[in-house]
């Protein structure tokens, strides 16, 4: 692989990064080639010892998405960060995807429960509209009680979600640090 | 060698090299790869991460031989981190050494 091919492939693998950051990264490698050439190496030698541009890009993308997930925790960012971490290796499919799915389903079920409690008075109301004769004092009060429980649970869940997502992001960061192949893969 | 393990070692090497003096990327890569077999390109993602985590800062400096070079300078935070990594490393090496010696005795 020569210089142009290396830079080309790196550029292509990094196309999802913001332009400014991508150019900055490419500049680092241009500098590396420039100095290597001054020292009398050939483009091919330099490219060969740098390693695969795709692998380098993978590590750069993982770092980038983690920063983004940390700056603003949205579902999309978090998913992209998890996905980038998974991209670092098959090993990570178990280490990252497992906890991610577990955490996501736990949060989802918590929210579903809170919300369904919250709407229980509506069900009683609907029942009343459909068959006015079936009015049941106990059901009405019970549903209001349940709705109160639902409100508490939703508040609790939003707190838990925030904490859990934050925790997961730092887990990803730790994982990326640990798993990324910093040196030659053997 | 195990990948995770090498990763940590590479970070330690970069920190130690920067502790002595500011260096540019190519110089760091060459100095390390003279001693250890590495994919040289992976040093750059590591340097980016370390810069983002405020372990080092960068500046450009003209060179007599050609275009300007990006230099990396260790911050105080980086020095603290280096101290901690060094201690971890020494404890680790000591432990491994101990086990190796005892293994030899048993044979």
């Amino acid at each position: 692989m020569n210089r142009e091919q290396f830079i080309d492939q790196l550029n292509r693998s990094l196309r999802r990064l913001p332009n400014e950051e991508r150019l900055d990264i490419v500049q680092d490698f241009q500098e590396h080639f420039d100095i290597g050439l001054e020292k009398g190496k050939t483009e091919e030698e330099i490219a060969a010892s740098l390693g695969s541009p795709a692998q380098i890009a993978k590590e750069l993308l993982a770092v980038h998405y983690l920063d983004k997930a940390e700056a603003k925790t949205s579902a999309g960012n978090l998913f992209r960060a998890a996905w980038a971490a998974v991209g670092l290796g098959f090993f990570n499919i178990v280490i990252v995807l497992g906890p991610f799915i577990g955490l996501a389903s736990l949060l989802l079920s918590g929210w579903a429960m809170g919300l369904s409690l919250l709407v229980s008075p509506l069900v009683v109301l609907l029942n009343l509209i459909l068959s006015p004769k079936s009015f049941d004092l106990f059901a009405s009060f019970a549903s209001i009680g349940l709705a109160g429980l639902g409100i508490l649970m939703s508040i609790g869940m939003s707190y838990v979600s925030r904490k859990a997502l934050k925790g997961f992001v730092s887990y990803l960061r730790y994982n990326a640090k640990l798993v990324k192949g910093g040196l030659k893969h053997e | 060698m195990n990948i995770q393990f090498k990763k940590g070692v590479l970070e330690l090497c970069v920190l130690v090299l920067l502790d002595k003096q500011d260096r540019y990327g190519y110089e760091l890569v060459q100095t390390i790869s003279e001693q250890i077999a590495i994919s040289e390109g992976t040093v750059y993602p590591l340097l980016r991460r370390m810069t983002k985590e405020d372990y080092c800062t960068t500046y450009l400096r003209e060179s007599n031989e050609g275009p300007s070079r990006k230099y990396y300078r260790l911050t105080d935070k980086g020095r603290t981190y280096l101290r901690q990594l060094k201690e971890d490393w020494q404890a680790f090496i000591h432990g491994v050494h101990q086990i190796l010696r005892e293994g030899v005795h048993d044979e």
Side-chain angles (χ1 to χ4, degrees):
Chain A
M1 195 184 296
N2 63 23
R3 177 182 188 152
E4 200 189 326
Q5 289 164 325
F6 183 95
I7 296 291
D8 236 42
Q9 202 179 328
L10 185 68
N11 250 322
R12 239 175 308 126
S13 311
L14 292 175
R15 65 185 177 281
R16 307 179 63 182
L17 286 187
N19 246 353
E20 198 183 332
E21 186 162 5
R22 187 172 50 80
L23 291 175
D24 193 36
I25 291 167
V26 168
Q27 179 52 41
D28 285 349
F29 284 95
Q30 297 282 22
E31 186 188 298
H32 189 91
F33 272 101
D34 282 339
I35 301 174
L37 289 171
E38 272 170 36
K39 309 259 176 194
K41 294 192 178 168
T42 67
E43 290 184 2
E44 281 75 12
E45 279 167 357
I46 299 168
S49 24
L50 279 174
S52 140
Q55 180 63 32
I56 296 168
K58 256 190 207 171
E59 296 184 15
L60 289 163
L61 284 172
V63 172
H64 172 77
Y65 281 131
L66 278 175
D67 281 340
K68 235 166 116 179
E70 212 160 36
K72 184 176 173 298
T73 316
S74 74
N77 278 343
L78 198 69
F79 181 75
R80 270 191 293 275
W83 190 246
V86 167
L88 285 172
F90 178 76
F91 171 71
N92 267 10
I93 290 180
V94 183
I95 299 296
V96 169
L97 213 56
F100 182 71
I101 291 171
L103 186 73
S105 49
L106 214 70
L107 289 180
L108 202 71
S109 55
W111 275 107
M113 197 163 152
L115 290 179
S116 55
L117 285 174
L118 204 61
V119 300
S120 61
L122 291 181
V123 178
V124 174
L125 210 63
L126 195 71
N127 191 30
L128 200 64
I129 293 166
L130 293 178
S131 49
K133 278 180 196 159
S134 75
F135 180 73
D136 177 357
L137 209 59
F138 175 75
S140 316
F141 283 112
S143 72
I144 290 167
L146 287 177
L149 213 62
I151 290 170
L152 284 179
M153 191 152 174
S154 304
I155 293 168
M157 277 313 291
S158 78
Y159 179 76
V160 169
S161 307
R162 259 202 304 278
K163 281 273 174 218
L165 293 181
K166 241 196 192 133
F168 190 69
V169 168
S170 48
Y171 173 73
L172 280 180
R173 181 165 280 275
Y174 165 76
N175 172 272
K177 238 176 171 166
L178 199 74
V179 172
K180 260 184 311 185
L183 300 152
K184 213 167 254 168
H185 295 228
E186 283 157 18
Chain B
M1 218 194 288
N2 177 301
I3 294 168
Q4 283 103 305
F5 185 69
K6 271 191 161 183
K7 181 79 198 170
V9 174
L10 184 61
E11 189 171 29
L12 178 61
C13 292
V14 169
L15 285 164
V16 169
L17 289 173
L18 289 179
D19 193 29
K20 282 187 227 146
Q21 63 186 84
D22 299 354
R23 292 173 194 267
Y24 53 94
Y26 188 89
E27 191 186 2
L28 278 169
V29 169
Q30 288 312 307
T31 315
I32 294 170
S33 68
E34 273 167 24
Q35 309 287 344
I36 321 171
I38 56 167
S39 276
E40 297 182 352
T42 52
V43 173
Y44 289 98
L46 176 67
L47 284 169
R48 281 194 93 72
R49 188 165 55 73
M50 284 171 49
T51 309
K52 276 187 183 168
E53 285 174 6
D54 297 325
Y55 293 144
C56 51
T57 54
T58 63
Y59 61 93
L60 288 177
R61 193 199 281 164
E62 298 296 324
S63 134
N64 321 334
E65 298 166 41
S68 58
R69 292 163 180 182
K70 194 198 250 182
Y71 277 79
Y72 296 85
R73 169 187 286 150
L74 210 59
T75 61
D76 287 340
K77 191 179 169 192
R79 287 218 160 72
T80 313
Y81 182 56
L82 168 61
R83 248 200 316 276
Q84 184 214 321
L85 268 190
K86 250 184 182 164
E87 276 169 27
D88 291 352
W89 172 255
Q90 254 129 23
F92 175 77
I93 285 296
H94 180 75
V96 173
H97 194 70
Q98 207 66 22
I99 290 169
L100 285 179
R101 254 207 336 234
E102 281 161 22
V104 171
H105 283 310
D106 287 346
E107 273 169 34

